[in-house]
Amino acid sequence: MIPEPLANGFCFGEGPRWFEGLLWFSDVLGEAVHTSTMGGSLTTLPLPGHSPSGLGFRPDGSLLIVSAEDRTVLRYDGETVDTIADLGGLAPADLGDMVIDDAGRAYIGCQARSGGAIIRLDPGDDTATVVAEDLDFPNGMVITPDRQTLIVAESVGRRLTAFTIGADGGLADRRTFADGLDGPPDGIALDADGAVWASMTLAHQFERIVEGGAVTDRIDMGDRVAIACALGGPERRTLFLLSSTEAYPQRLVGTRLSRLDAVTVTTPGAGLP
């Protein structure tokens, strides 16, 4: 599979999400959230003073945006952006990726290299609760179609870890989905066969991984760093790929070297996001 470039001109793309015919993604250093059409036409929501990372949509259509460095969560209702939660008292490190379930509960990663955590932000009163601890840099997250399992990429641990989601939104029964991965996994996406597409940053590849760790497909990005991916588009058969020239965002301040590519895959996306 050879990816086709869709869009460029942004600083550091992260957290892609397909919603209502558009791909939404954060520009962490560019202080913005962008949307892209299937043809690569971009629009921009400026977020001055913020470092947006994880994105997710609640059932009412509002967009939640993780502001990584100030450890807050923002809400965009289509007109205004408001801060709805300050997680600084719970987060052991800057915030990262996020996945939102059907009830509107947001699971947010705190990206400590060791001792990382997942915080659940509940709808209604936006109460925050730590639901998983002792993770090695939790990053991309997905929820399976039956809504019973959350899978998270542990970048420093070079593994994918699964949890059972309780009726109350708690996480339990921690287990390994895949370990010994080629490169630190960043963003991930789930397909209908239960395989995970993972962004292998330093391996410069996007890999399709089945439970147990076998790699069944690879997309080589050459000299580009694989950052994040999402399945969307018609029938969710388009794998959107965000890449950059560096794995460490701060080296890219002031540049516009990130790129959005797309490739058609055989197995469609499934689950959340």
Side-chain angles (χ1 to χ4, degrees), residues 47 66 91 107 163 195 225 252:
L47 294 169
V66 168
Y107 294 86
F163 293 90
V225 177
L252 293 167

Side-chain angles (χ1 to χ4, degrees), residues 1-2 10 37 41 51 54 74 76 85 112-113 121 128 150 177 194 199 205 214 259:
M1 291 184 289
I2 301 175
F10 47 94
T37 65
S41 177
S51 50
L74 314 176
Y76 175 58
R113 294 181 64 85
L121 186 67
L150 181 146
F177 182 93
S199 313
Q205 293 182 341
R259 193 174 77 203

Side-chain angles (χ1 to χ4, degrees), residues 64-270:
L64 298 193
I65 306 165
V66 168
S67 185
E69 292 183 4
D70 57 10
R71 305 182 190 182
T72 61
V73 180
L74 314 176
R75 179 180 180 271
Y76 175 58
D77 64 3
E79 295 183 0
T80 60
V81 177
D82 298 302
T83 300
I84 63 167
D86 185 342
L87 305 184
L90 294 177
D94 289 353
L95 304 179
D97 216 329
M98 168 173 61
V99 65
I100 298 179
D101 70 9
D102 296 321
R105 297 177 296 206
Y107 294 86
I108 303 162
C110 306
Q111 295 184 322
R113 294 181 64 85
S114 63
I118 297 174
I119 297 173
R120 190 189 71 232
L121 186 67
D122 293 331
D125 58 3
D126 292 311
T127 299
T129 305
V130 175
V131 289
E133 297 179 284
D134 298 321
L135 296 163
D136 297 331
F137 205 93
N139 215 320
M141 287 180 280
V142 295
I143 294 174
T144 54
D146 62 9
R147 308 307 196 249
Q148 294 185 7
T149 302
L150 181 146
I151 302 171
V152 57
E154 292 188 69
S155 296
V156 171
R158 297 202 179 203
R159 71 177 71 92
L160 302 176
T161 298
F163 293 90
T164 297
I165 303 172
D168 62 354
L171 300 182
D173 187 26
R174 178 175 177 170
R175 57 203 182 272
T176 299
F177 182 93
D179 61 6
L181 302 181
D182 290 336
D186 194 331
I188 62 175
L190 183 71
D191 72 21
D193 288 339
V196 172
W197 280 99
S199 313
M200 297 297 180
T201 52
L202 301 183
H204 298 258
Q205 293 182 341
F206 293 89
E207 296 182 354
R208 184 178 184 269
I209 303 166
V210 299
E211 188 169 7
V215 176
T216 64
D217 212 341
R218 287 183 171 89
I219 300 172
D220 190 343
M221 298 302 291
D223 61 354
R224 298 190 64 80
V225 177
I227 300 296
C229 57
L231 283 159
E235 300 180 345
R236 291 187 74 179
R237 293 183 186 273
T238 301
L239 182 64
F240 295 98
L241 311 170
L242 284 167
S243 66
S244 192
T245 57
E246 283 278 356
Y248 305 100
Q250 294 306 318
R251 297 178 183 176
L252 293 167
V253 173
T255 69
R256 293 184 179 274
L257 300 175
S258 281
R259 193 174 77 203
L260 172 65
D261 294 341
V263 65
T264 302
V265 295
T266 302
T267 306

